[in-house]
Amino acid sequence: MSTVLATARNPYDITLENFDLAADTLELEDDIRAMLRHPERVLIVNIPIRMDNGRIRRFEGYRVQHNTARGPAKGGIRYHPDVTVDEVKALATWMTWKCAVVNIPFGGGKGGVACNPKELSHGEIERLTRRYASGILPLIGPEQDIPAPDVYTKPQIMAWIMDTYSMTKGYSVPGVVTGKPVSLGGSLGRNEATGRGVFYAIQSACEHLRLPLKGTKVVVQGFGNAGSVAAHLLDTHQCYVIAVSDSRGCIYNKDGLDIPKLMLHKEKTGTVAGFPASEPISPRQLFALECDILIPAALENAIDEDNAPSIKANIIAEAANGPCTPEADKVLEAKGCFLIPDILCNAGGVTVSYFEWVQDVQHLFWEAQDVYNRLERVMRTSFNDVLKFHLDRKVSMRLAANMLGISRVAEAIRLRGLYP
Ligand code: NAD
């Protein structure tokens, strides 16, 4: 299922298409435009590891730094069979705009390894992670490029990267990655930061649309870190999460799923499928459900021209990166759906990663409520900044977010005089 979704369109082509549209609307200078259409650095690494059966198997990994005009590169690492260099370039580019939209002092980076972690043992994942970390060592560092978790990478993987980097220095360097376990210099609130940020963005959108949040019907595609936390917060605010999915199944209950119990079920069985008090549905049926809020929280290209016409939600909250193709955007805009674009909607993750990095550098750690309050402020300010562009310039929310991010990066480039 995921293979079909993730390979439907080259995500880097989509990134450039959206960039060109924003650059044209901003009337961006040609020289800055040429710089921003290409990443600063692309590293491809060979990762040979010894498998549990004693044989050596080779994997390929990537680290891309798209732009560092505003600060060190920042961005997650993805382990997935469909990872390609173009996907990582797209994700790194989105990170550049995203960090600028939430106004944190980072540029955009991303990494990935083409592998299926579900088929690897704990030991094989550790050896793969350490070998990948040593491969990308020339690029990473707390002042250079700071990785974080993404699809199928967890705090334990960040701990191994931190350890591999620290071994080369001879002392502990917690600031080299974020999304670490709290006992290793991680931040309280980082694990749920993306989903919590999605929740604040949805709250802001409901206020703008004068739609009471309480009682809304919600559908979530991808019940992983981002999707499950957003679902849980909405559930605690008396919304009805009527359907969710993961790579192994889609489930539905018209009266709302019991989200805390579903989280335990997923933890125990590894999937949402088979949850009691729910009925199985198809991915196509999931997107076509009658609901107020649809949260795509899995992979790129989940919503395209094929399934967009069936969508009935008022609000599309993009917890995933790049879940809607440009063709789907047109269909959804024509239907009057209110879009909270990915580089705004899921920016809670990188925002709390920034907080974690600040805490590591200062060796001074904050309470969870402090993290939540600061995150809420950042999300609400950024939402209003994007909304203002959307209303003042009469452009779509996606174009507004891209224009805001790109204009801040372009300003940094002009001020630094980074081009001749
Ligand atoms: P995750 O690995 O925790 O969860 C991904 C979930 O998606 C899993 O439950 C998986 O089963 C499901 N999935 C995969 N293919 C699917 C398909 N075809 N249909 C339905 N479900 C499918 O990953 P995550 O961290 O929650 O990331 C999800 C999305 O959020 C990605 O696009 C990621 O880039 C984005 N994101 C994550 C963070 C973060 O901090 N984790 C930050 C910003 C954006």
Side-chain angles (χ1 to χ4, degrees):
M1 183 160 48
S2 60
T3 309
V4 174
L5 290 174
T7 54
R9 267 201 70 184
N10 181 329
Y12 197 57
D13 289 344
I14 294 179
T15 307
L16 291 181
E17 198 174 316
N18 282 325
F19 170 74
D20 287 339
L21 186 61
D24 287 346
T25 317
L26 285 166
E27 296 178 10
L28 198 66
E29 308 88 297
D30 283 346
D31 40 13
I32 293 187
R33 190 188 288 238
M35 272 177 71
L36 291 176
R37 285 186 109 256
H38 304 277
E40 281 173 14
R41 291 191 180 96
V42 179
L43 179 64
I44 301 180
V45 295
N46 206 4
I47 312 168
I49 64 156
R50 190 172 297 282
M51 306 297 281
D52 290 346
N53 64 10
R55 305 190 65 143
I56 304 291
R57 187 167 157 200
R58 172 195 176 268
F59 295 87
E60 191 161 288
Y62 313 97
R63 185 73 193 169
V64 174
Q65 296 175 349
H66 171 257
N67 187 275
T68 55
R70 288 171 49 92
K74 186 86 192 80
I77 290 173
R78 178 173 292 193
Y79 287 178
H80 193 277
D82 297 334
V83 164
T84 62
V85 69
D86 274 357
E87 181 188 50
V88 179
K89 279 163 67 176
L91 289 160
T93 311
W94 293 331
M95 286 305 296
T96 304
W97 317 146
K98 191 186 300 183
C99 292
V101 164
V102 285
N103 226 345
I104 57 177
F106 287 135
K110 202 82 183 188
V113 179
C115 66
N116 187 351
K118 289 179 191 162
E119 290 171 358
L120 300 174
S121 70
H122 187 78
E124 287 166 344
I125 294 179
E126 175 173 359
R127 294 193 287 282
L128 176 113
T129 301
R130 290 186 181 279
R131 192 76 194 197
Y132 169 66
S134 62
I136 62 168
L137 215 60
L139 294 196
I140 61 173
E143 305 297 333
Q144 285 169 267
D145 183 350
I146 307 129
D150 190 72
V151 173
Y152 298 151
T153 50
K154 303 220 174 297
Q156 173 64 74
I157 289 175
M158 299 305 116
W160 290 325
I161 296 177
M162 177 210 155
D163 184 62
T164 306
Y165 183 86
S166 299
M167 278 161 62
T168 67
K169 297 284 169 189
Y171 51 89
S172 288
V173 189
V176 66
V177 281
T178 58
K180 298 177 293 295
V182 171
S183 52
L184 276 182
S187 176
L188 292 172
R190 171 61 185 92
N191 205 33
E192 66 266 33
T194 305
R196 184 171 278 277
V198 170
F199 170 73
Y200 293 138
I202 290 173
Q203 261 190 333
S204 304
C206 286
E207 283 164 24
H208 164 65
L209 298 171
R210 298 184 205 286
L211 176 75
L213 185 64
K214 188 175 161 186
T216 50
K217 287 188 182 165
V218 181
V219 169
V220 182
Q221 185 234 10
F223 199 68
N225 174 298
S228 68
V229 172
H232 183 54
L233 283 166
L234 289 162
D235 178 62
T236 57
H237 284 74
Q238 284 138 38
C239 302
Y240 298 100
V241 182
I242 58 168
V244 306
S245 67
D246 64 16
S247 61
R248 297 179 196 177
C250 303
I251 57 166
Y252 170 65
N253 180 331
K254 67 173 176 21
D255 300 320
L257 297 156
D258 184 329
I259 297 299
K261 282 197 183 140
L262 178 59
M263 290 171 100
L264 288 175
H265 173 85
K266 167 115 185 165
E267 208 180 297
K268 244 192 262 163
T269 66
T271 173
V272 298
F275 181 61
S278 74
E279 56 181 281
I281 53 170
S282 69
R284 183 167 273 281
Q285 285 172 314
L286 177 116
F287 283 118
L289 284 171
E290 209 57 76
C291 66
D292 302 290
I293 302 166
L294 172 63
I295 308 179
L299 295 168
E300 296 89 72
N301 299 336
I303 303 177
D304 55 17
E305 74 265 44
D306 186 37
N307 56 13
S310 69
I311 287 176
K312 302 186 183 67
N314 298 326
I315 297 176
I316 314 281
E318 292 187 323
N321 285 305
C324 296
T325 64
E327 295 76 20
D329 276 357
K330 286 187 194 115
V331 175
L332 297 172
E333 204 181 341
K335 279 166 163 276
C337 293
F338 185 84
L339 177 82
I340 315 176
D342 48 5
I343 59 170
L344 167 66
C345 191
N346 67 33
V350 74
T351 302
V352 178
S353 274
Y354 165 56
F355 298 161
E356 179 174 329
W357 180 79
V358 168
Q359 293 170 75
D360 285 338
V361 170
Q362 297 186 342
H363 308 288
L364 182 66
F365 289 87
W366 309 346
E367 288 172 15
Q369 196 55 49
D370 257 0
V371 173
Y372 301 156
N373 293 346
R374 284 174 189 267
L375 173 62
E376 182 169 4
R377 265 205 309 275
V378 170
M379 290 306 296
R380 284 185 173 273
T381 305
S382 310
F383 182 90
N384 288 334
D385 289 350
V386 172
L387 187 68
K388 189 167 177 346
F389 250 84
H390 162 68
L391 297 174
D392 290 356
R393 309 285 288 258
K394 297 189 175 39
V395 294
S396 71
M397 281 291 282
R398 172 145 4 256
L399 184 51
N402 283 331
M403 285 169 71
L404 177 64
I406 291 166
S407 61
R408 285 181 175 161
V409 176
E411 187 187 348
I413 293 172
R414 281 185 215 107
L415 289 168
R416 287 183 59 163
L418 281 180
Y419 63 104

